[in-house]
Amino acid sequence: MSTTMTAPATIAMAPRRRRRRSRSEKSLTALQYLLLVFFAVIVLTPLYLLLVTSFKSPAAFSQSTAWFVPNSFSVDGWAKAWDRLAPALGRSLLMASIASVVSSFLGSLNGYVFAKWKFPGSHLVFVLFLFGMFIPYQAIMIPLQAMMLQVQAHAPWFQGIPVLILCHIVYGIPICTLIFRNYYATAVPNEIVEAARVDGAGAFATYSRVVLPVSLPGFVVTLIWQFTSAWNDFLFALFLTTPNNGPVTYALQALAGGQNPDYPSIMAGVLVASLPTLVVYIALGKYFVSGLMSGSVK
């Protein structure tokens, strides 16, 4: 008797539970959207201030009205920023492109060796490679500057961008080696490498014909990482270059210096200097997370 009474009651309560669950899910979804909008506003607020200020004339700018849209838009700040930063933008683009490609390729070679070609002391050498990731720039800047000055005394052409290219390549090798070593250890089966060895392929032939064609996800990650790191660097540029032969970060610092700063041109310069990295992330950002996750599990 009790069983026949309980079953219909349970069936009748099921729709109520589903309605309650759907209401709670809708509330949770609404809360998530509210949080996303809240954090988006926080993140985009500085961008709004940059854009609004960059289209003002120097005479129309004041701190009390910095958040207001200008009554009349002016592109004088953009023109001045472009004139001052255009040569440095070309130098930075050359530096970041070469440094990211070379360090990624060398890291790919190292990661392949450490993942697939074991030799005595390979783990110790790999740890020493990783140790380079934890050496802060500030700790080596003064001796590095002295060494570069000695080199430049015998090779005057080795100044400015060539120095920064070498530094970013050397400092980028450890992180690129780590990324590619983990990628090759899980994403590239050992059977493929062993089959290439059986067919008579050497280490470099196996790398170029078997491993390199499947390395695109790893290269996407390291290229984005290295390009952004080299482009945004200021400390190396400050110690090893001058505003006349340095990257855009150094030129931007020179633009922002002085006792009477031109805030519209400074804000426009910040936006101009950030556009290349923004373009890189828009073009390759969707592959970044997938590249990081590639090879994470077998």
Side-chain angles (χ1 to χ4, degrees):
M1 185 69 177
S2 60
T3 303
T4 58
M5 292 293 292
T6 305
T10 304
I11 296 174
M13 291 177 62
R16 296 180 182 178
R17 293 177 180 176
R18 284 195 295 269
R19 286 195 296 269
R20 292 175 182 174
R21 189 179 298 111
S22 62
R23 291 176 183 174
S24 61
E25 290 176 354
K26 291 181 180 179
S27 300
L28 181 60
T29 302
L31 179 61
Q32 291 175 345
Y33 278 109
L34 287 176
L35 289 175
L36 287 175
V37 171
F38 173 73
F39 287 114
V41 170
I42 292 178
V43 172
L44 295 178
T45 297
L47 179 60
Y48 165 79
L49 183 61
L50 289 174
L51 284 172
V52 168
T53 305
S54 66
F55 287 105
K56 294 179 180 179
S57 62
F61 174 79
S62 65
Q63 295 184 359
S64 60
T65 60
W67 294 95
F68 299 158
V69 177
N71 296 326
S72 61
F73 287 82
S74 173
V75 295
D76 294 339
W78 285 87
K80 180 180 178 180
W82 179 256
D83 291 339
R84 295 282 297 273
L85 299 182
L89 281 170
R91 292 193 294 266
S92 284
L93 184 61
L94 178 66
M95 174 199 66
S97 300
I98 295 177
S100 58
V101 171
V102 174
S103 59
S104 297
F105 179 72
L106 294 177
S108 175
L109 283 173
N110 293 334
Y112 163 67
V113 171
F114 287 125
K116 301 301 180 184
W117 292 79
K118 302 301 181 181
F119 55 90
S122 60
H123 293 290
L124 177 60
V125 176
F126 179 64
V127 171
L128 293 177
F129 263 89
L130 297 185
F131 183 71
M133 296 171 51
F134 304 102
I135 301 177
Y137 293 175
Q138 297 84 351
I140 53 95
M141 202 55 61
I142 293 179
L144 178 63
Q145 183 187 41
M147 183 178 67
M148 290 303 171
L149 290 176
Q150 293 179 359
V151 174
Q152 292 167 4
H154 301 282
W157 58 269
F158 192 67
Q159 298 181 11
I161 296 303
V163 175
L164 296 183
I165 290 175
L166 177 62
C167 293
H168 286 296
I169 288 175
V170 172
Y171 250 87
I173 288 176
I175 182 64
C176 293
T177 299
L178 175 63
I179 292 173
F180 276 107
R181 189 260 183 188
N182 294 340
Y183 176 73
Y184 291 146
T186 54
V188 179
N190 294 329
E191 291 77 9
I192 297 179
V193 178
E194 294 174 358
R197 293 178 185 175
V198 171
D199 291 339
F204 190 76
T206 303
Y207 169 78
S208 60
R209 298 178 183 178
V210 177
V211 178
L212 188 60
V214 297
S215 302
L216 181 60
F219 273 103
V220 170
V221 175
T222 55
L223 286 175
I224 293 177
W225 183 281
Q226 285 300 104
F227 186 91
T228 306
S229 176
W231 185 275
N232 293 331
D233 172 69
F234 176 71
L235 190 61
F236 278 132
L238 181 63
F239 276 83
L240 303 177
T241 64
T242 66
N244 295 327
N245 62 8
V248 68
T249 51
Y250 206 164
L252 184 62
Q253 188 270 340
L255 176 65
Q259 296 181 351
N260 296 314
D262 185 357
Y263 287 103
S265 63
I266 293 172
M267 300 303 178
V270 170
L271 292 172
V272 169
S274 62
L275 281 179
T277 52
L278 179 63
V279 170
V280 170
Y281 270 104
I282 291 176
L284 300 176
K286 63 180 180 180
Y287 304 106
F288 185 74
V289 176
S290 61
L292 284 174
M293 298 301 296
S294 295
S296 59
V297 294
K298 291 186 178 180

